[in-house]
Amino acid sequence: MRTVYAATLITVGWLGVCAPAQAAGEPAKTAQAMGGQILTDQKGMTLYTFDKDAGGKSTCNGPCAANWPPLAAAADAKPMGKYTVITRDDGVKQWAYSGKPLYTWAKDAKPGDTTGDGVNNVWHVAKP
């Protein structure tokens, strides 16, 4: 019985140490693309900004958000460096970079795709 209890403590302790380290990381990464450095999510998918967003507020809701999924932030996420957390109209938290909300593009099929850049002349690859 003591062996099982000790193993449980070790496992729980290990999870407790690893989880915060992951959560403490920045919400996006920097990658190299043809046009220079860009921001990607943790899976390597390109992040975008929307010209119609202003004042640290997302205006991409409903069908727009289905095509341009917001980069979700945990309910308890805290700002770090140039990354801030905004609250969307539906109450969900979203990451922003330099005050601009961040999104992925549903039509990007794989990491490194940038097919959303320039869509309707209002969507742009996010750059650090």
Side-chain angles (χ1 to χ4, degrees):
M1 186 64 117
R2 283 185 181 209
T3 303
V4 172
Y5 181 70
T8 301
L9 284 177
I10 290 169
T11 302
V12 170
W14 180 77
L15 290 172
V17 170
C18 290
Q22 244 179 345
E26 290 188 340
K29 301 188 294 186
T30 303
Q32 192 64 35
M34 294 292 284
Q37 289 192 329
I38 64 171
L39 294 178
T40 69
D41 68 8
Q42 293 300 323
K43 296 176 186 172
M45 300 304 287
T46 302
L47 293 171
Y48 298 90
T49 58
F50 185 38
D51 285 347
K52 295 182 180 182
D53 289 343
K57 179 165 174 40
S58 171
T59 59
C60 180
N61 297 292
C64 178
N67 288 319
W68 299 93
L71 182 61
D76 63 348
K78 303 283 186 242
M80 56 183 74
K82 291 186 175 188
Y83 293 98
T84 55
V85 179
I86 64 166
T87 302
R88 300 177 48 74
D89 288 349
D90 60 7
V92 173
K93 303 289 184 178
Q94 178 179 358
W95 286 108
Y97 183 81
S98 293
K100 296 180 180 184
L102 296 170
Y103 308 84
T104 56
W105 170 228
K107 294 184 181 180
D108 280 349
K110 64 187 181 312
D113 283 355
T114 58
T115 63
D117 193 30
V119 169
N120 296 329
N121 293 319
V122 293
W123 289 96
H124 309 284
V125 169
K127 297 184 179 184

